[in-house]
mmCIF file of all heavy atoms in Angstrom:
data_model
loop_
_atom_site.group_PDB
_atom_site.id
_atom_site.type_symbol
_atom_site.label_atom_id
_atom_site.label_comp_id
_atom_site.label_asym_id
_atom_site.label_seq_id
_atom_site.Cartn_x
_atom_site.Cartn_y
_atom_site.Cartn_z
ATOM 1 N N THR M 320 57.812 -224.685 263.521
ATOM 2 C CA THR M 320 56.860 -224.517 264.622
ATOM 3 C C THR M 320 56.330 -225.873 265.050
ATOM 4 O O THR M 320 55.945 -226.690 264.206
ATOM 5 C CB THR M 320 55.687 -223.623 264.172
ATOM 6 O OG1 THR M 320 56.188 -222.314 263.886
ATOM 7 C CG2 THR M 320 54.630 -223.530 265.249
ATOM 8 N N ASN M 321 56.312 -226.130 266.363
ATOM 9 C CA ASN M 321 55.672 -227.346 266.868
ATOM 10 C C ASN M 321 54.167 -227.254 266.606
ATOM 11 O O ASN M 321 53.492 -226.355 267.119
ATOM 12 C CB ASN M 321 55.896 -227.493 268.379
ATOM 13 C CG ASN M 321 57.331 -227.826 268.729
ATOM 14 O OD1 ASN M 321 58.152 -228.119 267.862
ATOM 15 N ND2 ASN M 321 57.643 -227.777 270.017
ATOM 16 N N LEU M 322 53.650 -228.184 265.819
ATOM 17 C CA LEU M 322 52.230 -228.231 265.497
ATOM 18 C C LEU M 322 51.743 -229.670 265.577
ATOM 19 O O LEU M 322 52.529 -230.612 265.334
ATOM 20 C CB LEU M 322 51.979 -227.690 264.083
ATOM 21 C CG LEU M 322 52.255 -226.189 263.874
ATOM 22 C CD1 LEU M 322 52.265 -225.857 262.392
ATOM 23 C CD2 LEU M 322 51.224 -225.348 264.613
ATOM 24 N N PRO M 323 50.481 -229.914 265.875
ATOM 25 C CA PRO M 323 49.993 -231.295 266.026
ATOM 26 C C PRO M 323 50.188 -232.143 264.775
ATOM 27 O O PRO M 323 50.329 -233.362 264.873
ATOM 28 C CB PRO M 323 48.506 -231.111 266.346
ATOM 29 C CG PRO M 323 48.409 -229.749 266.937
ATOM 30 C CD PRO M 323 49.442 -228.934 266.225
ATOM 31 N N TRP M 324 50.192 -231.499 263.613
ATOM 32 C CA TRP M 324 50.298 -232.256 262.358
ATOM 33 C C TRP M 324 51.704 -232.201 261.752
ATOM 34 O O TRP M 324 51.893 -232.551 260.586
ATOM 35 C CB TRP M 324 49.282 -231.719 261.353
ATOM 36 C CG TRP M 324 49.360 -230.230 261.155
ATOM 37 C CD1 TRP M 324 50.213 -229.541 260.345
ATOM 38 C CD2 TRP M 324 48.549 -229.239 261.793
ATOM 39 N NE1 TRP M 324 50.002 -228.191 260.429
ATOM 40 C CE2 TRP M 324 48.970 -227.977 261.321
ATOM 41 C CE3 TRP M 324 47.507 -229.285 262.724
ATOM 42 C CZ2 TRP M 324 48.385 -226.784 261.743
ATOM 43 C CZ3 TRP M 324 46.927 -228.105 263.135
ATOM 44 C CH2 TRP M 324 47.364 -226.875 262.656
ATOM 45 N N MET M 325 52.711 -231.794 262.531
ATOM 46 C CA MET M 325 54.046 -231.610 261.961
ATOM 47 C C MET M 325 54.696 -232.918 261.543
ATOM 48 O O MET M 325 55.589 -232.920 260.688
ATOM 49 C CB MET M 325 54.950 -230.865 262.951
ATOM 50 C CG MET M 325 55.256 -231.616 264.228
ATOM 51 S SD MET M 325 56.139 -230.591 265.453
ATOM 52 C CE MET M 325 57.656 -230.182 264.577
ATOM 53 N N HIS M 326 54.276 -234.041 262.117
ATOM 54 C CA HIS M 326 54.814 -235.358 261.746
ATOM 55 C C HIS M 326 53.645 -236.242 261.321
ATOM 56 O O HIS M 326 52.930 -236.791 262.174
ATOM 57 C CB HIS M 326 55.557 -235.994 262.921
ATOM 58 C CG HIS M 326 56.786 -235.248 263.348
ATOM 59 N ND1 HIS M 326 57.821 -234.966 262.484
ATOM 60 C CD2 HIS M 326 57.142 -234.735 264.556
ATOM 61 C CE1 HIS M 326 58.770 -234.312 263.131
ATOM 62 N NE2 HIS M 326 58.386 -234.153 264.382
ATOM 63 N N PRO M 327 53.407 -236.401 260.026
ATOM 64 C CA PRO M 327 52.241 -237.170 259.566
ATOM 65 C C PRO M 327 52.167 -238.575 260.132
ATOM 66 O O PRO M 327 51.062 -239.101 260.347
ATOM 67 C CB PRO M 327 52.430 -237.193 258.038
ATOM 68 C CG PRO M 327 53.239 -235.963 257.743
ATOM 69 C CD PRO M 327 54.170 -235.810 258.910
ATOM 70 N N GLU M 328 53.333 -239.195 260.395
ATOM 71 C CA GLU M 328 53.310 -240.583 260.863
ATOM 72 C C GLU M 328 52.714 -240.748 262.257
ATOM 73 O O GLU M 328 52.322 -241.862 262.645
ATOM 74 C CB GLU M 328 54.726 -241.194 260.808
ATOM 75 C CG GLU M 328 55.765 -240.467 261.643
ATOM 76 C CD GLU M 328 56.534 -239.419 260.862
ATOM 77 O OE1 GLU M 328 55.904 -238.582 260.178
ATOM 78 O OE2 GLU M 328 57.789 -239.424 260.949
ATOM 79 N N VAL M 329 52.631 -239.669 263.046
ATOM 80 C CA VAL M 329 52.015 -239.774 264.373
ATOM 81 C C VAL M 329 50.821 -238.825 264.518
ATOM 82 O O VAL M 329 50.294 -238.664 265.618
ATOM 83 C CB VAL M 329 53.040 -239.497 265.500
ATOM 84 C CG1 VAL M 329 54.137 -240.550 265.517
ATOM 85 C CG2 VAL M 329 53.625 -238.086 265.389
ATOM 86 N N GLU M 330 50.395 -238.214 263.436
ATOM 87 C CA GLU M 330 49.331 -237.206 263.526
ATOM 88 C C GLU M 330 48.054 -237.788 264.121
ATOM 89 O O GLU M 330 47.409 -237.159 264.975
ATOM 90 C CB GLU M 330 49.042 -236.619 262.147
ATOM 91 C CG GLU M 330 47.955 -235.560 262.173
ATOM 92 C CD GLU M 330 47.633 -235.018 260.783
ATOM 93 O OE1 GLU M 330 48.518 -235.034 259.910
ATOM 94 O OE2 GLU M 330 46.479 -234.574 260.592
ATOM 95 N N ASP M 331 47.662 -238.977 263.704
ATOM 96 C CA ASP M 331 46.435 -239.578 264.241
ATOM 97 C C ASP M 331 46.545 -239.804 265.747
ATOM 98 O O ASP M 331 45.590 -239.554 266.495
ATOM 99 C CB ASP M 331 46.144 -240.904 263.541
ATOM 100 C CG ASP M 331 45.678 -240.710 262.099
ATOM 101 O OD1 ASP M 331 45.320 -239.573 261.730
ATOM 102 O OD2 ASP M 331 45.696 -241.701 261.336
ATOM 103 N N ALA M 332 47.708 -240.279 266.199
ATOM 104 C CA ALA M 332 47.890 -240.541 267.622
ATOM 105 C C ALA M 332 47.927 -239.241 268.426
ATOM 106 O O ALA M 332 47.425 -239.180 269.555
ATOM 107 C CB ALA M 332 49.163 -241.346 267.856
ATOM 108 N N VAL M 333 48.525 -238.190 267.859
ATOM 109 C CA VAL M 333 48.521 -236.877 268.524
ATOM 110 C C VAL M 333 47.084 -236.380 268.664
ATOM 111 O O VAL M 333 46.665 -235.901 269.730
ATOM 112 C CB VAL M 333 49.387 -235.869 267.741
ATOM 113 C CG1 VAL M 333 49.127 -234.445 268.230
ATOM 114 C CG2 VAL M 333 50.863 -236.218 267.884
ATOM 115 N N ARG M 334 46.322 -236.490 267.586
ATOM 116 C CA ARG M 334 44.923 -236.068 267.626
ATOM 117 C C ARG M 334 44.148 -236.866 268.673
ATOM 118 O O ARG M 334 43.332 -236.312 269.429
ATOM 119 C CB ARG M 334 44.277 -236.235 266.257
ATOM 120 C CG ARG M 334 42.839 -235.718 266.190
ATOM 121 C CD ARG M 334 42.161 -236.050 264.864
ATOM 122 N NE ARG M 334 42.947 -235.611 263.731
ATOM 123 C CZ ARG M 334 43.627 -236.439 262.935
ATOM 124 N NH1 ARG M 334 43.623 -237.753 263.170
ATOM 125 N NH2 ARG M 334 44.311 -235.969 261.927
ATOM 126 N N ASP M 335 44.408 -238.161 268.747
ATOM 127 C CA ASP M 335 43.717 -238.998 269.736
ATOM 128 C C ASP M 335 44.033 -238.545 271.159
ATOM 129 O O ASP M 335 43.151 -238.555 272.039
ATOM 130 C CB ASP M 335 44.111 -240.469 269.561
ATOM 131 C CG ASP M 335 43.537 -241.090 268.299
ATOM 132 O OD1 ASP M 335 42.610 -240.492 267.711
ATOM 133 O OD2 ASP M 335 44.025 -242.166 267.897
ATOM 134 N N ALA M 336 45.290 -238.166 271.410
ATOM 135 C CA ALA M 336 45.668 -237.721 272.753
ATOM 136 C C ALA M 336 44.957 -236.419 273.117
ATOM 137 O O ALA M 336 44.520 -236.229 274.256
ATOM 138 C CB ALA M 336 47.180 -237.546 272.839
ATOM 139 N N ILE M 337 44.828 -235.506 272.138
ATOM 140 C CA ILE M 337 44.097 -234.265 272.398
ATOM 141 C C ILE M 337 42.614 -234.560 272.597
ATOM 142 O O ILE M 337 41.954 -233.998 273.485
ATOM 143 C CB ILE M 337 44.322 -233.265 271.249
ATOM 144 C CG1 ILE M 337 45.813 -232.891 271.163
ATOM 145 C CG2 ILE M 337 43.468 -232.015 271.442
ATOM 146 C CD1 ILE M 337 46.181 -232.054 269.945
ATOM 147 N N ASN M 338 42.078 -235.470 271.786
ATOM 148 C CA ASN M 338 40.680 -235.855 271.955
ATOM 149 C C ASN M 338 40.424 -236.504 273.309
ATOM 150 O O ASN M 338 39.344 -236.336 273.897
ATOM 151 C CB ASN M 338 40.250 -236.803 270.836
ATOM 152 C CG ASN M 338 39.773 -236.067 269.595
ATOM 153 O OD1 ASN M 338 39.003 -235.108 269.693
ATOM 154 N ND2 ASN M 338 40.222 -236.499 268.424
ATOM 155 N N LEU M 339 41.421 -237.251 273.814
ATOM 156 C CA LEU M 339 41.284 -237.849 275.141
ATOM 157 C C LEU M 339 41.069 -236.758 276.192
ATOM 158 O O LEU M 339 40.253 -236.913 277.112
ATOM 159 C CB LEU M 339 42.533 -238.671 275.475
ATOM 160 C CG LEU M 339 42.612 -239.210 276.916
ATOM 161 C CD1 LEU M 339 41.518 -240.244 277.164
ATOM 162 C CD2 LEU M 339 43.993 -239.813 277.175
ATOM 163 N N ARG M 340 41.808 -235.666 276.061
ATOM 164 C CA ARG M 340 41.626 -234.552 277.005
ATOM 165 C C ARG M 340 40.172 -234.064 276.993
ATOM 166 O O ARG M 340 39.573 -233.846 278.053
ATOM 167 C CB ARG M 340 42.567 -233.412 276.640
ATOM 168 C CG ARG M 340 42.457 -232.199 277.567
ATOM 169 C CD ARG M 340 43.413 -231.102 277.151
ATOM 170 N NE ARG M 340 43.411 -229.972 278.083
ATOM 171 C CZ ARG M 340 44.119 -229.921 279.200
ATOM 172 N NH1 ARG M 340 44.879 -230.940 279.554
ATOM 173 N NH2 ARG M 340 44.059 -228.851 279.982
ATOM 174 N N TYR M 341 39.622 -233.889 275.788
ATOM 175 C CA TYR M 341 38.250 -233.399 275.696
ATOM 176 C C TYR M 341 37.249 -234.446 276.179
ATOM 177 O O TYR M 341 36.221 -234.090 276.777
ATOM 178 C CB TYR M 341 37.946 -232.968 274.267
ATOM 179 C CG TYR M 341 38.569 -231.632 273.930
ATOM 180 C CD1 TYR M 341 39.843 -231.545 273.381
ATOM 181 C CD2 TYR M 341 37.891 -230.442 274.180
ATOM 182 C CE1 TYR M 341 40.425 -230.317 273.079
ATOM 183 C CE2 TYR M 341 38.459 -229.207 273.883
ATOM 184 C CZ TYR M 341 39.733 -229.155 273.344
ATOM 185 O OH TYR M 341 40.309 -227.934 273.057
ATOM 186 N N ARG M 342 37.533 -235.715 275.944
ATOM 187 C CA ARG M 342 36.626 -236.759 276.437
ATOM 188 C C ARG M 342 36.578 -236.749 277.960
ATOM 189 O O ARG M 342 35.517 -236.934 278.559
ATOM 190 C CB ARG M 342 37.070 -238.128 275.914
ATOM 191 C CG ARG M 342 36.202 -239.287 276.419
ATOM 192 C CD ARG M 342 36.381 -240.529 275.574
ATOM 193 N NE ARG M 342 35.767 -241.709 276.150
ATOM 194 C CZ ARG M 342 34.461 -241.960 276.178
ATOM 195 N NH1 ARG M 342 33.618 -241.079 275.657
ATOM 196 N NH2 ARG M 342 33.993 -243.067 276.707
ATOM 197 N N LEU M 343 37.727 -236.505 278.584
ATOM 198 C CA LEU M 343 37.783 -236.477 280.048
ATOM 199 C C LEU M 343 37.552 -235.079 280.622
ATOM 200 O O LEU M 343 37.727 -234.868 281.825
ATOM 201 C CB LEU M 343 39.136 -237.015 280.529
ATOM 202 C CG LEU M 343 39.353 -238.516 280.344
ATOM 203 C CD1 LEU M 343 40.784 -238.897 280.684
ATOM 204 C CD2 LEU M 343 38.382 -239.313 281.213
ATOM 205 N N MET M 344 37.155 -234.136 279.777
ATOM 206 C CA MET M 344 36.964 -232.757 280.236
ATOM 207 C C MET M 344 36.003 -232.645 281.423
ATOM 208 O O MET M 344 36.267 -231.878 282.370
ATOM 209 C CB MET M 344 36.499 -231.884 279.079
ATOM 210 C CG MET M 344 36.384 -230.406 279.402
ATOM 211 S SD MET M 344 37.979 -229.627 279.774
ATOM 212 C CE MET M 344 38.758 -229.657 278.154
ATOM 213 N N PRO M 345 34.878 -233.372 281.449
ATOM 214 C CA PRO M 345 33.999 -233.244 282.623
ATOM 215 C C PRO M 345 34.695 -233.639 283.929
ATOM 216 O O PRO M 345 34.498 -232.978 284.959
ATOM 217 C CB PRO M 345 32.840 -234.192 282.300
ATOM 218 C CG PRO M 345 32.828 -234.272 280.810
ATOM 219 C CD PRO M 345 34.272 -234.212 280.396
ATOM 220 N N TYR M 346 35.520 -234.675 283.883
ATOM 221 C CA TYR M 346 36.252 -235.067 285.085
ATOM 222 C C TYR M 346 37.337 -234.055 285.411
ATOM 223 O O TYR M 346 37.523 -233.665 286.577
ATOM 224 C CB TYR M 346 36.863 -236.460 284.902
ATOM 225 C CG TYR M 346 37.718 -236.886 286.090
ATOM 226 C CD1 TYR M 346 37.125 -237.226 287.296
ATOM 227 C CD2 TYR M 346 39.107 -236.926 285.983
ATOM 228 C CE1 TYR M 346 37.902 -237.602 288.390
ATOM 229 C CE2 TYR M 346 39.889 -237.302 287.071
ATOM 230 C CZ TYR M 346 39.284 -237.635 288.267
ATOM 231 O OH TYR M 346 40.057 -238.003 289.356
ATOM 232 N N LEU M 347 38.058 -233.591 284.383
ATOM 233 C CA LEU M 347 39.105 -232.590 284.601
ATOM 234 C C LEU M 347 38.501 -231.326 285.211
ATOM 235 O O LEU M 347 39.079 -230.723 286.128
ATOM 236 C CB LEU M 347 39.801 -232.276 283.274
ATOM 237 C CG LEU M 347 40.970 -231.290 283.305
ATOM 238 C CD1 LEU M 347 42.068 -231.754 284.234
ATOM 239 C CD2 LEU M 347 41.531 -231.090 281.889
ATOM 240 N N TRP M 348 37.329 -230.927 284.736
ATOM 241 C CA TRP M 348 36.680 -229.743 285.292
ATOM 242 C C TRP M 348 36.269 -229.968 286.749
ATOM 243 O O TRP M 348 36.378 -229.064 287.585
ATOM 244 C CB TRP M 348 35.481 -229.361 284.436
ATOM 245 C CG TRP M 348 34.774 -228.130 284.938
ATOM 246 C CD1 TRP M 348 33.500 -228.050 285.415
ATOM 247 C CD2 TRP M 348 35.301 -226.801 285.005
ATOM 248 N NE1 TRP M 348 33.201 -226.761 285.787
ATOM 249 C CE2 TRP M 348 34.290 -225.973 285.545
ATOM 250 C CE3 TRP M 348 36.528 -226.229 284.666
ATOM 251 C CZ2 TRP M 348 34.466 -224.607 285.753
ATOM 252 C CZ3 TRP M 348 36.711 -224.869 284.882
ATOM 253 C CH2 TRP M 348 35.693 -224.070 285.417
ATOM 254 N N GLN M 349 35.822 -231.160 287.074
ATOM 255 C CA GLN M 349 35.537 -231.486 288.474
ATOM 256 C C GLN M 349 36.784 -231.291 289.337
ATOM 257 O O GLN M 349 36.707 -230.773 290.459
ATOM 258 C CB GLN M 349 35.045 -232.928 288.606
ATOM 259 C CG GLN M 349 33.621 -233.166 288.178
ATOM 260 C CD GLN M 349 33.192 -234.613 288.401
ATOM 261 O OE1 GLN M 349 33.982 -235.473 288.838
ATOM 262 N NE2 GLN M 349 31.937 -234.909 288.113
ATOM 263 N N CYS M 350 37.937 -231.709 288.808
ATOM 264 C CA CYS M 350 39.193 -231.567 289.555
ATOM 265 C C CYS M 350 39.540 -230.095 289.767
ATOM 266 O O CYS M 350 40.035 -229.715 290.842
ATOM 267 C CB CYS M 350 40.331 -232.276 288.821
ATOM 268 S SG CYS M 350 40.159 -234.065 288.724
ATOM 269 N N VAL M 351 39.289 -229.263 288.754
ATOM 270 C CA VAL M 351 39.555 -227.831 288.887
ATOM 271 C C VAL M 351 38.629 -227.214 289.930
ATOM 272 O O VAL M 351 39.058 -226.426 290.788
ATOM 273 C CB VAL M 351 39.401 -227.132 287.522
ATOM 274 C CG1 VAL M 351 39.475 -225.621 287.673
ATOM 275 C CG2 VAL M 351 40.480 -227.617 286.558
ATOM 276 N N GLU M 352 37.357 -227.555 289.861
ATOM 277 C CA GLU M 352 36.410 -227.033 290.856
ATOM 278 C C GLU M 352 36.795 -227.469 292.264
ATOM 279 O O GLU M 352 36.727 -226.675 293.212
ATOM 280 C CB GLU M 352 35.001 -227.504 290.526
ATOM 281 C CG GLU M 352 34.409 -226.877 289.278
ATOM 282 C CD GLU M 352 32.994 -227.325 289.032
ATOM 283 O OE1 GLU M 352 32.727 -228.546 289.090
ATOM 284 O OE2 GLU M 352 32.125 -226.458 288.781
ATOM 285 N N GLN M 353 37.226 -228.719 292.405
ATOM 286 C CA GLN M 353 37.655 -229.208 293.716
ATOM 287 C C GLN M 353 38.875 -228.441 294.213
ATOM 288 O O GLN M 353 38.976 -228.101 295.392
ATOM 289 C CB GLN M 353 37.965 -230.708 293.645
ATOM 290 C CG GLN M 353 38.370 -231.306 294.982
ATOM 291 C CD GLN M 353 38.893 -232.729 294.861
ATOM 292 O OE1 GLN M 353 39.358 -233.132 293.786
ATOM 293 N NE2 GLN M 353 38.826 -233.494 295.939
ATOM 294 N N ALA M 354 39.813 -228.159 293.302
ATOM 295 C CA ALA M 354 41.016 -227.413 293.683
ATOM 296 C C ALA M 354 40.661 -226.045 294.239
ATOM 297 O O ALA M 354 41.223 -225.601 295.252
ATOM 298 C CB ALA M 354 41.952 -227.280 292.490
ATOM 299 N N CYS M 355 39.735 -225.367 293.581
ATOM 300 C CA CYS M 355 39.370 -224.012 294.002
ATOM 301 C C CYS M 355 38.471 -224.023 295.231
ATOM 302 O O CYS M 355 38.498 -223.073 296.024
ATOM 303 C CB CYS M 355 38.684 -223.287 292.846
ATOM 304 S SG CYS M 355 39.746 -223.111 291.389
ATOM 305 N N ARG M 356 37.705 -225.073 295.411
ATOM 306 C CA ARG M 356 36.804 -225.172 296.569
ATOM 307 C C ARG M 356 37.506 -225.700 297.808
ATOM 308 O O ARG M 356 37.357 -225.170 298.915
ATOM 309 C CB ARG M 356 35.630 -226.085 296.204
ATOM 310 C CG ARG M 356 34.597 -226.252 297.311
ATOM 311 C CD ARG M 356 33.540 -227.278 296.918
ATOM 312 N NE ARG M 356 34.097 -228.624 296.775
ATOM 313 C CZ ARG M 356 34.109 -229.312 295.639
ATOM 314 N NH1 ARG M 356 33.605 -228.803 294.534
ATOM 315 N NH2 ARG M 356 34.631 -230.531 295.602
ATOM 316 N N ASP M 357 38.328 -226.751 297.634
ATOM 317 C CA ASP M 357 38.900 -227.467 298.777
ATOM 318 C C ASP M 357 40.402 -227.257 298.939
ATOM 319 O O ASP M 357 41.007 -227.842 299.842
ATOM 320 C CB ASP M 357 38.622 -228.971 298.636
ATOM 321 C CG ASP M 357 37.137 -229.291 298.573
ATOM 322 O OD1 ASP M 357 36.346 -228.494 299.123
ATOM 323 O OD2 ASP M 357 36.768 -230.307 297.962
ATOM 324 N N ASP M 358 41.017 -226.467 298.066
ATOM 325 C CA ASP M 358 42.445 -226.142 298.175
ATOM 326 C C ASP M 358 43.327 -227.389 298.081
ATOM 327 O O ASP M 358 44.245 -227.584 298.873
ATOM 328 C CB ASP M 358 42.726 -225.381 299.476
ATOM 329 C CG ASP M 358 41.844 -224.154 299.614
ATOM 330 O OD1 ASP M 358 41.922 -223.282 298.739
ATOM 331 O OD2 ASP M 358 41.065 -224.067 300.579
ATOM 332 N N VAL M 359 43.046 -228.214 297.077
ATOM 333 C CA VAL M 359 43.860 -229.396 296.814
ATOM 334 C C VAL M 359 44.378 -229.337 295.381
ATOM 335 O O VAL M 359 43.717 -228.777 294.500
ATOM 336 C CB VAL M 359 43.072 -230.715 297.029
ATOM 337 C CG1 VAL M 359 42.744 -230.914 298.490
ATOM 338 C CG2 VAL M 359 41.806 -230.736 296.185
ATOM 339 N N PRO M 360 45.555 -229.898 295.108
ATOM 340 C CA PRO M 360 46.089 -229.862 293.743
ATOM 341 C C PRO M 360 45.208 -230.615 292.755
ATOM 342 O O PRO M 360 44.458 -231.530 293.127
ATOM 343 C CB PRO M 360 47.458 -230.537 293.885
ATOM 344 C CG PRO M 360 47.800 -230.447 295.338
ATOM 345 C CD PRO M 360 46.492 -230.503 296.069
#
């Protein structure tokens, strides 16, 4: 099964990439709201 910890040698970097998503979540959510309000991708 593909899992974030399936390769220990890159596990920290995988976790960092997922954490980046959460760090930018307020901006990503703004983009979603804009998409639904203004009909833009």
Side-chain angles (χ1 to χ4, degrees):
T320 295
N321 290 351
L322 293 168
W324 52 83
M325 65 188 299
H326 295 303
E328 59 267 50
V329 296
E330 180 182 333
D331 288 346
V333 167
R334 184 187 307 107
D335 289 345
I337 297 172
N338 274 315
L339 172 66
R340 180 180 185 84
Y341 284 91
R342 178 162 170 74
L343 289 173
M344 185 66 70
Y346 176 72
L347 183 58
W348 181 244
Q349 284 183 357
C350 294
V351 172
E352 290 183 312
Q353 182 189 23
C355 299
R356 181 186 65 243
D357 301 333
D358 306 300
V359 292

